[in-house]
Amino acid sequence: MLRAILLEVTAVVAMFCLVGAVTLVGPNRLAALRTELRPRLRESAPYLAVLIVVLILNSITRDSAQDLSWQIGYEITYLLAAYDAGIVATIQSFESQALTTYFSSVYVYGYVFVLVFPVLAYLALSDRKPFQRLVVAYSINYFIGLTLYILFIAYGPRNWYGIEAGAEAAKVVYENHLYGMTGSETANELLTSEVNSRTNVFPSLHTSLSATVALFAYKTREAYPIWLGIATVLAVSIIISTMYLGIHWAVDILFGLGLAGLSVYIADRFIE
Amino acid sequence: MTHPDTASSLSRRAVLAGAAASAAASAGCVGPLQNVADDGEQSQLTLEIKALPVDSDPYGIRIAQRLRSNLEAAGINVRLRLVSIGQFTEQVLLNHDFDIYVGQAPFRLPPDPDALYPLFESTYTADIGWQNPFGFTNLTCDDLLAAQRSQAGDDRQQTVTTLQETLARNQPMSPLVVPERLTGVRTDRFTGWDPDDREAARGGPTRPHNLLLLERADDAPAEDRTLRLATANDRLTSNRNPISAAYRQEGTLLDLVYDSIALQHGSEYVPWLARELTWLDGDGPPEVEIELREDLLWHDGEQLSAYDVGFTYAFLQDTSLGAASRAIPTERFRGPVSLVEDITVENGHRLRLTFTDTIRPVARRALTVPILPAHIWRDRTRLTGGSNRASRTTLALTSANSGAIGSGPLRFETAGDSTAEFSVFDQHFLWPQVTSGGGSANETEPETDWWSSILDGQDGNSDEEPVTNGTATPSDQDVPTVTDGAQPPEPYGGVPPFDTVTVEAVSTTAVVGLVEAGNADATVGPVDTGVSTVAENSAEIELIESQPNAFYHLGFNTRREPLRNPNVRQFVAQLLDKQALVEESFDGYGTPAASPLAGTDWLAESLQWDAETDTDPIVPFLGTDGVLSVEDAREQLRELGYQYNSDNELVS
């Protein structure tokens, strides 16, 4: 999903990053980055290479992974639905036009911004470790997430609840909202990529990646105190949005959070 | 049937508690689902329900969820499994790996009752695709299916009535609802969508051949000559094999890529690739002489001859063309093809089909199968193993047929992850004048006088006796003297207002968004009911309701216990309130059905929906207004010899 969105890096995200760069990162660090960018990237090249390989693997194996998944994977939608214990339905019962607009925007733009901005922000730090750890943590998230997608086949709540009136309303509003929000071309790409990955539900990568970013924000709160607040609010919103929009079950969120913790732990250990 | 009723002393409260407990317990395990009756130890009865996700079918899951909760209330453990369209085909239709599925019938047009033949004939149980997926074997039913093929008039009506009643009692499948198909169409680029506005046309607005009848909107931009369709069915992007089993391939654009000898148009069959069909009178079985149109071409430029047609019928009967010890027939069209007894190719233009002992209205169904190019398909007779099918098969059936060379009005161009593109085949017989000039319709707009001359020509012809295979043609017309090719059949033949057709495969909700955003001109196939709101709010979007006969039903795998038992199948059917389904799950867009022929003239009197009691005449709902009477359901199971354990679970 990230691939499709990144391909269409929207003006909105770029603008947010620009504003964030000026206000949060600050002119001094940006000025230093002018001369420092190349050596810093060169030093972190191996980690970036791993991340890029994982992302490329994801995009080229997408279709065959789907087939493989149906052959060898466990179909667990009914388990996720049983253990969800009505949490998604409860969240969706608060459905309103304003919330749908908010959560749709956060789900699309907020998510991309949360992933992209810390890459820039940590690159602007003279300490290389946060950047390298972040890249390693992203790679771990993707690698484990994609492996689990092959091992477990599951559909999200929107495909399971046919009767839930609230869920239906949110879902339709969301998809129609996407068109208004992103322009039809972007929406097309986005929906297409969602269709291809609609059985990739367990765990929630939206959750694990945004929680990863929030955990890093906590660790770098001295350098970027305001970012901790922004990242936390965005991460929580993104996580709720996946359930509000009927894309993930509560269990997916739980495992997403676990994956985030694991990836940050390994990244910390790996880069002392 | 005479098991001691150990559970009868349980109070109703305990029963309900048990239902809740079993629902919770069902969350506990992943693993093989077959209900196993171990000796000594009794395990809870488990049934699996397969259904498509909402993204592919907005209604199926609603039915499945209701059935699940009612089965659970009766003490049965249920696994509800969502499967993709591709997996539905593979698991249910190819491998018969299911207990119960929720799905739609494979045909859309009001069928001749003979459409039931391949669905229920017991010799087809070993076959795959929409050929007795239920594994239903019933000799009475077989006799009736065979009898209706050779009977006519009242006799046939009577047989078809008895057949429906037999099926209703045995419930190899349980017809539920004939849905109304909603189609969202944009009218700012193309008009003429509503088939009700046109004479004699049948099927929904996006029935493939109806697309050829579209008109250009007055204010449509001249350079914009692409018809954009949006669908939730992704099969076309990955598999374009017209003869392999696939979940509901009928009604896809493949129908416009492959031509048939005749085209079903409402209740009529109009000669299509044939310029003339001559039914030979005689005492024996029906025979038809097919005279092909002149200068028919395949999309790759090869000539289409009577040899291709003869090849197709032989090939569909055995795709190994004799290489396999047992014939490996096509996975679709098996019913109609089985009617063809003998094929005689007389010359490049003419061939004769001899049918089995049947009547003409049944025999002519065989004229609607897609005609395949021999030069491509004869290389696909090789046997292959595996390929997700239980038995050995041929390349013809496993091939994705990605090139899709046909002879139809649309030529396949390209396909991506979620899109497929087609172009208008300007050398098609529908547009003879376009090809005679050697020019392409893409480059040269037809001039007005030239254009009206075609129309005049058609009008002139329309007074003549239309040549359909419903009536015998006088023998003196056997050898027509026309040399410039027969006119295209009415009402087709107008040059369509587009050069290119694209299909975008997304979800049942996203198709609505695509139409709303102006990225698609029409939805094809199932669509979210949200489309009605979208149509209300936009002047450019219309909602068209049409009623295809692709009825929703429960399919039972009668090869497996406990569904082998017709009483159990009846019981499961009785857990659904069809009227409540229509109102609550279909938002009123549908009618309850008690027979696979509901919505046709052939529906048995005894299986009409009982408007007074509002319930199924054979398998009435065990409850009222959609709410199950748990006690009645459990009582019925006890009468069938089932028992409940101390946890109120049904054990076998």
Coordinates of all heavy atoms in Angstrom, one line a residue, chain A residues 147-190:
Chain A
T147 N 5.8 -11.2 5.6 CA 5.8 -12.7 5.8 C 4.5 -13.1 6.5 O 3.9 -14.2 6.1 CB 7.0 -13.0 6.8 OG1 8.2 -12.4 6.3 CG2 7.2 -14.5 6.9
L148 N 4.0 -12.4 7.4 CA 2.7 -12.7 8.1 C 1.6 -12.7 7.1 O 0.6 -13.5 7.1 CB 2.4 -11.8 9.3 CG 3.4 -12.1 10.5 CD1 3.1 -11.0 11.5 CD2 3.2 -13.5 11.0
Y149 N 1.7 -11.8 6.1 CA 0.6 -11.7 5.1 C 0.6 -12.9 4.3 O -0.5 -13.4 3.8 CB 0.8 -10.5 4.2 CG 0.5 -9.2 4.8 CD1 1.0 -8.0 4.3 CD2 -0.3 -9.1 5.9 CE1 0.7 -6.7 4.9 CE2 -0.6 -7.9 6.5 CZ -0.1 -6.7 6.0 OH -0.4 -5.5 6.6
I150 N 1.7 -13.6 4.1 CA 1.7 -14.8 3.3 C 1.2 -15.9 4.2 O 0.4 -16.8 3.7 CB 3.1 -15.1 2.8 CG1 3.5 -14.1 1.7 CG2 3.2 -16.5 2.2 CD1 4.9 -14.3 1.2
L151 N 1.5 -15.9 5.4 CA 1.1 -17.0 6.3 C -0.4 -17.0 6.7 O -1.0 -18.0 7.0 CB 2.0 -17.0 7.6 CG 3.4 -17.4 7.3 CD1 4.2 -17.3 8.6 CD2 3.6 -18.8 6.7
F152 N -0.9 -15.8 6.8 CA -2.3 -15.6 7.2 C -3.1 -14.9 6.2 O -2.7 -13.8 5.8 CB -2.4 -14.9 8.6 CG -1.7 -15.7 9.6 CD1 -0.4 -15.3 10.1 CD2 -2.3 -16.8 10.2 CE1 0.2 -16.0 11.1 CE2 -1.6 -17.5 11.2 CZ -0.4 -17.1 11.7
I153 N -4.2 -15.5 5.8 CA -5.1 -14.8 4.9 C -6.3 -14.3 5.7 O -6.9 -15.1 6.5 CB -5.7 -15.7 3.9 CG1 -4.6 -16.4 3.1 CG2 -6.6 -15.0 2.9 CD1 -5.1 -17.6 2.4
A154 N -6.6 -13.0 5.6 CA -7.7 -12.5 6.4 C -8.3 -11.3 5.7 O -7.6 -10.6 5.0 CB -7.4 -12.2 7.8
Y155 N -9.6 -11.2 5.7 CA -10.3 -10.0 5.2 C -10.6 -9.1 6.4 O -10.9 -9.6 7.5 CB -11.6 -10.4 4.5 CG -11.4 -11.0 3.1 CD1 -11.3 -12.4 2.9 CD2 -11.3 -10.2 2.0 CE1 -11.1 -12.9 1.7 CE2 -11.1 -10.7 0.7 CZ -11.0 -12.1 0.6 OH -10.8 -12.6 -0.7
G156 N -10.7 -7.8 6.1 CA -11.0 -6.9 7.1 C -12.5 -6.8 7.4 O -13.3 -7.4 6.7
P157 N -12.9 -6.0 8.5 CA -14.3 -6.0 8.9 C -15.2 -5.5 7.8 O -16.3 -6.0 7.7 CB -14.3 -4.9 10.0 CG -12.9 -4.8 10.5 CD -12.0 -5.2 9.3
R158 N -14.8 -4.6 6.9 CA -15.7 -4.1 5.9 C -16.1 -5.3 4.9 O -17.1 -5.2 4.3 CB -15.0 -3.0 5.0 CG -13.6 -3.4 4.6 CD -13.0 -2.4 3.7 NE -13.4 -2.7 2.3 CZ -13.4 -1.9 1.3 NH1 -13.1 -0.7 1.5 NH2 -13.7 -2.3 0.1
N159 N -15.3 -6.3 4.8 CA -15.7 -7.4 4.0 C -16.4 -8.5 4.7 O -17.0 -9.4 4.1 CB -14.4 -8.1 3.3 CG -14.1 -7.4 2.0 OD1 -14.9 -7.3 1.2 ND2 -12.8 -7.0 1.9
W160 N -16.5 -8.4 6.0 CA -17.1 -9.4 6.8 C -18.5 -9.0 7.3 O -19.4 -9.8 7.3 CB -16.2 -9.6 8.1 CG -16.8 -10.6 9.1 CD1 -17.5 -10.3 10.2 CD2 -16.6 -12.0 9.1 NE1 -17.7 -11.4 10.9 CE2 -17.3 -12.5 10.3 CE3 -16.0 -12.9 8.2 CZ2 -17.3 -13.8 10.6 CZ3 -16.1 -14.3 8.6 CH2 -16.7 -14.7 9.7
Y161 N -18.6 -7.7 7.7 CA -19.9 -7.3 8.2 C -20.8 -6.8 7.0 O -20.5 -5.7 6.5 CB -19.8 -6.1 9.1 CG -19.2 -6.5 10.5 CD1 -18.1 -5.9 11.0 CD2 -19.9 -7.4 11.3 CE1 -17.6 -6.3 12.2 CE2 -19.4 -7.7 12.5 CZ -18.3 -7.2 13.0 OH -17.8 -7.5 14.2
G162 N -21.7 -7.6 6.6 CA -22.6 -7.2 5.5 C -23.7 -6.4 6.1 O -24.4 -5.6 5.4
I163 N -24.0 -6.6 7.3 CA -25.3 -6.1 7.9 C -25.1 -4.8 8.6 O -26.0 -4.0 8.6 CB -25.9 -7.2 8.8 CG1 -26.3 -8.4 8.0 CG2 -27.1 -6.6 9.5 CD1 -26.7 -9.6 8.7
E164 N -24.0 -4.7 9.2 CA -23.6 -3.5 10.0 C -23.9 -2.2 9.2 O -23.2 -1.8 8.4 CB -22.2 -3.6 10.4 CG -21.8 -3.3 11.8 CD -22.6 -4.1 12.8 OE1 -22.7 -5.4 12.7 OE2 -23.1 -3.5 13.7
A165 N -25.0 -1.5 9.6 CA -25.4 -0.4 8.8 C -24.3 0.7 8.9 O -24.0 1.4 8.0 CB -26.7 0.1 9.3
G166 N -23.9 1.0 10.2 CA -22.9 2.0 10.4 C -21.6 1.8 9.6 O -21.1 2.7 9.0
A167 N -21.2 0.5 9.6 CA -19.9 0.2 8.9 C -20.1 0.5 7.4 O -19.2 1.1 6.8 CB -19.6 -1.3 9.1
E168 N -21.2 0.1 6.9 CA -21.5 0.4 5.5 C -21.4 1.8 5.1 O -20.7 2.2 4.2 CB -22.8 -0.2 5.1 CG -23.1 0.0 3.6 CD -23.6 -1.4 3.1 OE1 -23.4 -2.4 3.7 OE2 -24.1 -1.4 2.0
A169 N -22.0 2.6 5.9 CA -22.0 4.1 5.7 C -20.6 4.6 5.7 O -20.2 5.3 4.7 CB -22.9 4.8 6.7
A170 N -19.8 4.3 6.7 CA -18.4 4.7 6.8 C -17.6 4.3 5.6 O -16.9 5.1 5.0 CB -17.8 4.2 8.1
K171 N -17.8 3.1 5.2 CA -17.1 2.6 4.1 C -17.3 3.3 2.8 O -16.4 3.7 2.1 CB -17.5 1.1 3.9 CG -16.9 0.3 2.8 CD -17.4 -1.1 2.8 CE -18.9 -1.1 2.5 NZ -19.5 -2.3 2.5
V172 N -18.6 3.5 2.5 CA -18.9 4.2 1.3 C -18.5 5.6 1.3 O -17.8 6.1 0.3 CB -20.5 4.2 1.0 CG1 -20.8 5.0 -0.2 CG2 -20.9 2.7 0.9
V173 N -18.7 6.3 2.4 CA -18.3 7.7 2.5 C -16.8 7.7 2.3 O -16.3 8.6 1.6 CB -18.7 8.2 3.9 CG1 -18.1 9.6 4.1 CG2 -20.2 8.3 4.0
Y174 N -16.1 6.8 2.9 CA -14.6 6.8 2.9 C -14.1 6.7 1.4 O -13.3 7.5 0.9 CB -14.0 5.7 3.7 CG -12.7 5.2 3.3 CD1 -11.6 6.1 3.4 CD2 -12.4 3.9 2.8 CE1 -10.3 5.7 3.0 CE2 -11.2 3.5 2.5 CZ -10.1 4.4 2.6 OH -8.9 4.0 2.2
E175 N -14.7 5.7 0.7 CA -14.2 5.6 -0.7 C -14.6 6.7 -1.6 O -13.8 7.2 -2.4 CB -14.7 4.2 -1.2 CG -14.0 3.1 -0.5 CD -14.1 1.8 -1.2 OE1 -15.0 1.6 -2.0 OE2 -13.3 0.9 -0.9
N176 N -15.8 7.2 -1.4 CA -16.2 8.3 -2.2 C -15.4 9.6 -1.8 O -15.1 10.4 -2.6 CB -17.7 8.6 -2.0 CG -18.5 7.5 -2.7 OD1 -17.9 6.7 -3.5 ND2 -19.8 7.4 -2.4
H177 N -15.1 9.6 -0.5 CA -14.4 10.8 0.0 C -13.0 10.8 -0.6 O -12.5 11.9 -0.9 CB -14.3 10.6 1.5 CG -13.6 11.8 2.2 ND1 -14.3 13.0 2.4 CD2 -12.4 12.0 2.6 CE1 -13.5 13.8 3.0 NE2 -12.3 13.2 3.1
L178 N -12.4 9.6 -0.8 CA -11.1 9.6 -1.3 C -11.0 10.3 -2.7 O -10.0 11.0 -3.0 CB -10.7 8.1 -1.6 CG -10.0 7.4 -0.4 CD1 -9.6 6.0 -0.9 CD2 -8.7 8.1 -0.1
Y179 N -12.1 10.1 -3.5 CA -12.1 10.7 -4.8 C -12.0 12.2 -4.7 O -11.3 12.9 -5.4 CB -13.3 10.3 -5.6 CG -13.2 8.8 -6.0 CD1 -13.8 7.9 -5.2 CD2 -12.5 8.5 -7.1 CE1 -13.7 6.5 -5.6 CE2 -12.3 7.2 -7.5 CZ -13.0 6.2 -6.7 OH -12.8 4.9 -7.0
G180 N -12.9 12.7 -3.8 CA -13.0 14.2 -3.6 C -11.6 14.7 -3.1 O -11.2 15.8 -3.4
M181 N -11.0 13.9 -2.2 CA -9.8 14.4 -1.5 C -8.6 14.4 -2.4 O -7.8 15.3 -2.4 CB -9.6 13.5 -0.3 CG -8.8 14.1 0.8 SD -9.0 13.0 2.2 CE -8.4 11.5 1.7
T182 N -8.4 13.3 -3.1 CA -7.1 13.1 -3.7 C -7.1 13.3 -5.2 O -6.1 13.3 -5.9 CB -6.6 11.7 -3.5 OG1 -7.5 10.8 -4.1 CG2 -6.5 11.4 -2.0
G183 N -8.3 13.6 -5.8 CA -8.3 13.7 -7.2 C -8.5 12.3 -7.7 O -7.9 11.3 -7.1
S184 N -9.2 12.1 -8.8 CA -9.5 10.7 -9.2 C -8.3 9.8 -9.5 O -8.4 8.6 -9.2 CB -10.5 10.8 -10.3 OG -10.0 11.6 -11.3
E185 N -7.3 10.4 -10.1 CA -6.2 9.5 -10.5 C -5.6 8.8 -9.3 O -5.3 7.6 -9.2 CB -5.1 10.3 -11.2 CG -5.4 10.6 -12.7 CD -5.6 9.3 -13.4 OE1 -4.7 8.5 -13.4 OE2 -6.7 9.2 -14.1
T186 N -5.3 9.7 -8.2 CA -4.7 9.1 -7.0 C -5.6 8.1 -6.4 O -5.2 7.0 -6.0 CB -4.5 10.2 -6.0 OG1 -3.8 11.3 -6.7 CG2 -3.6 9.8 -4.9
A187 N -6.9 8.4 -6.3 CA -7.9 7.5 -5.7 C -7.9 6.2 -6.5 O -7.9 5.1 -5.9 CB -9.3 8.1 -5.7
N188 N -7.8 6.2 -7.8 CA -7.7 5.0 -8.6 C -6.6 4.1 -8.1 O -6.8 3.0 -7.9 CB -7.5 5.3 -10.1 CG -8.9 5.6 -10.7 OD1 -9.9 5.6 -10.1 ND2 -8.8 6.0 -12.0
E189 N -5.4 4.7 -8.1 CA -4.2 4.0 -7.7 C -4.4 3.4 -6.4 O -4.1 2.2 -6.1 CB -3.0 4.9 -7.7 CG -2.5 5.2 -9.1 CD -1.7 4.1 -9.7 OE1 -1.0 3.4 -8.9 OE2 -1.8 3.9 -10.9
L190 N -4.9 4.2 -5.5 CA -5.0 3.8 -4.1 C -6.0 2.7 -3.9 O -5.7 1.7 -3.3 CB -5.6 5.0 -3.3 CG -5.1 5.2 -1.9 CD1 -3.6 5.4 -1.9 CD2 -5.8 6.5 -1.4

